[in-house]
């Protein structure tokens, strides 16, 4: 496993040493008395981080659920702070915090902190969360997806109000109709008031399963998908690279199960 070190730059000797330590020592040997101070935006991003302001909401968001579970299993004490997003980025870059979430990867962000890498590539298996939007339609309307691909001007697609997928679909030439929640959109779909809905798959799948709704088909191919990560500050990574690598791996190992167990708590945004 590669270790991306900055300030100072990587050396082969350092990489070999870290890989050796990673294999040699158990997680608990590095996690005792460790406190991890993470920060995230004070604006709600459903369903990963819930609520507004400086406090941690209840429920807190799927990203916090995942990180908290990983820290609990590793014996790490987790401390959370919320700030405006620009300040989160600044504190991360200055190593005033140990890490921040949830951020996608862009080349211009590589100097913010350290992302999980493997063999010279960003390690998607150790992502914190994936925002994936899918199209849902009634099974008794099998040509819905073909109409979607053809950008049928008579087709109306439901989206949750204020979500970026709505603008994405409009820019692609689709007609969208906004509603306040996933539940409202599903009800409109079932009643035939709209032809399809474009929803975040985690909450949509959970809603359909929780309320045992039948007759709705999900298109396997995502309309839009992007991975988001827990980014660690340079200083914290340099201080304990083995712990950080273990934490990212733990997140990758438990993520899907934690989401499956907690998604039911996030069927409706708080705002």
């Amino acid at each position: 496993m590669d270790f991306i070190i900055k300030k100072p730059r990587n050396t082969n000797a350092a990489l070999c040493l870290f890989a050796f330590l990673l294999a040699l020592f158990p997680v608990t040997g590095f996690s005792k008395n460790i406190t991890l101070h993470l920060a995230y935006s004070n604006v709600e991003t459903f369903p990963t981080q819930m609520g507004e302001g400086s406090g941690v909401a209840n429920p807190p968001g799927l990203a916090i659920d995942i990180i908290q579970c990983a820290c609990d299993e590793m014996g790490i004490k987790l401390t959370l702070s919320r700030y405006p997003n620009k300040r989160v980025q600044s504190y991360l870059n200055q190593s005033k915090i140990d890490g921040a979430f949830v951020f996608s990867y862009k080349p211009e962000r590589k100097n913010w902190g350290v992302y999980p890498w493997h063999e010279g590539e960003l390690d998607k298996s150790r992502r914190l969360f994936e925002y994936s939007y899918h199209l849902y339609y009634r099974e008794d309307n099998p040509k819905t997806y073909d109409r979607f691909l053809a950008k049928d001007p008579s087709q109306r697609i439901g989206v949750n109000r204020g979500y970026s997928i709505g603008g994405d679909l409009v820019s692609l030439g689709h007609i969208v109709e906004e509603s306040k929640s996933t539940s409202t959109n599903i009800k409109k779909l079932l009643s035939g008031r709209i032809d399809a809905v474009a929803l975040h798959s985690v909450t949509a799948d959970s809603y359909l399963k929780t309320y045992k709704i039948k007759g709705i088909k999900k298109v396997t191919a995502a309309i839009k998908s992007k991975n988001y990560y827990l980014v660690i500050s340079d200083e914290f990574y340099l201080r304990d690279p083995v712990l950080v690598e273990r934490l990212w791996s733990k997140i990758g190992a438990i993520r899907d199960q934690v989401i499956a167990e907690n998604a039911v708590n996030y069927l409706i945004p708080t705002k």
Side-chain angles (χ1 to χ4, degrees), residues 164-175:
S164 62
I165 189 64
D168 293 336
L169 290 172
V170 169
S171 67
L172 292 172
H174 296 283
I175 305 299

Side-chain angles (χ1 to χ4, degrees), residues 105-111:
Y105 178 79
K106 295 180 180 179
E108 58 267 28
R109 293 177 177 174
K110 64 182 179 182
N111 292 323

Side-chain angles (χ1 to χ4, degrees), residues 141-153:
N141 290 325
K143 294 185 178 180
T144 299
Y145 189 49
D146 290 335
R147 292 175 61 199
F148 175 81
L149 294 176
K151 300 177 183 177
D152 185 341

Side-chain angles (χ1 to χ4, degrees), residues 4-255:
I4 307 303
I5 309 289
K6 299 181 290 183
K7 303 174 186 177
R9 293 182 177 275
N10 297 348
T11 66
N12 289 334
L15 290 174
C16 291
L17 175 61
F18 293 155
F20 171 74
L21 292 174
L22 187 61
L24 183 63
F25 293 99
V27 173
T28 54
F30 285 89
S31 304
K32 292 180 180 179
N33 302 317
I34 293 292
T35 297
L36 185 66
H37 181 199
L38 302 180
Y40 63 107
S41 172
N42 59 1
V43 176
E44 178 171 292
T45 303
F46 178 80
T48 54
Q49 53 200 52
M50 305 297 287
E52 306 279 343
S54 60
V56 178
N58 183 23
L62 285 171
I64 294 91
D65 290 334
I66 296 165
I67 294 170
Q68 185 67 67
C69 183
C71 287
D72 289 346
E73 291 193 11
M74 293 179 63
I76 299 171
K77 180 181 178 181
L78 178 63
T79 300
L80 297 171
S81 298
R82 302 187 73 173
Y83 307 108
N85 200 47
K86 290 293 186 181
R87 191 184 305 173
V88 172
Q89 297 171 19
S90 176
Y91 284 178
L92 176 64
N93 191 39
Q94 298 175 60
S95 291
K96 290 185 176 181
I97 53 177
D98 298 327
F101 60 91
V102 290
F103 290 108
S104 60
Y105 178 79
K106 295 180 180 179
E108 58 267 28
R109 293 177 177 174
K110 64 182 179 182
N111 292 323
W112 286 10
V114 189
Y115 285 77
W117 294 80
H118 179 64
E119 296 182 350
E121 295 184 356
L122 197 61
D123 191 348
K124 297 179 181 179
S125 71
R126 297 193 290 173
R127 67 186 180 273
L128 180 57
F129 200 79
E130 178 185 41
Y131 274 101
S132 183
Y133 288 91
H134 290 254
L135 192 74
Y136 296 79
Y137 62 91
R138 285 168 38 182
E139 290 182 346
D140 59 0
N141 290 325
K143 294 185 178 180
T144 299
Y145 189 49
D146 290 335
R147 292 175 61 199
F148 175 81
L149 294 176
K151 300 177 183 177
D152 185 341
S154 67
Q155 185 180 61
R156 290 187 300 171
I157 302 170
V159 298
N160 285 355
R161 183 174 297 117
Y163 282 52
S164 62
I165 189 64
D168 293 336
L169 290 172
V170 169
S171 67
L172 292 172
H174 296 283
I175 305 299
V176 303
E177 183 174 313
E178 291 188 331
S179 294
K180 65 179 181 179
S181 66
T182 296
S183 60
T184 301
N185 269 311
I186 293 295
K187 291 174 183 177
K188 289 171 67 176
L189 177 62
L190 289 170
S191 67
R193 293 162 58 194
I194 53 178
D195 301 291
V197 290
L199 297 171
H200 189 283
S201 60
V202 168
T203 49
D205 292 351
S206 179
Y207 183 88
L208 294 174
K209 180 179 179 180
T210 299
Y211 294 102
K212 299 179 173 60
I213 296 174
K214 305 296 182 181
I216 293 180
K217 186 176 181 62
K218 172 186 175 182
V219 177
T220 302
I223 301 171
K224 176 183 179 182
S225 184
K226 184 180 289 188
N227 291 317
Y228 290 79
Y229 299 88
L230 167 62
V231 186
I232 299 297
S233 71
D234 291 324
E235 184 177 307
F236 190 86
Y237 188 88
L238 284 169
R239 187 163 69 244
D240 209 335
V242 175
L243 178 72
V244 174
E245 295 288 341
R246 296 272 191 189
L247 176 60
W248 280 327
S249 295
K250 175 62 71 173
I251 286 172
I254 68 170
R255 178 192 59 246

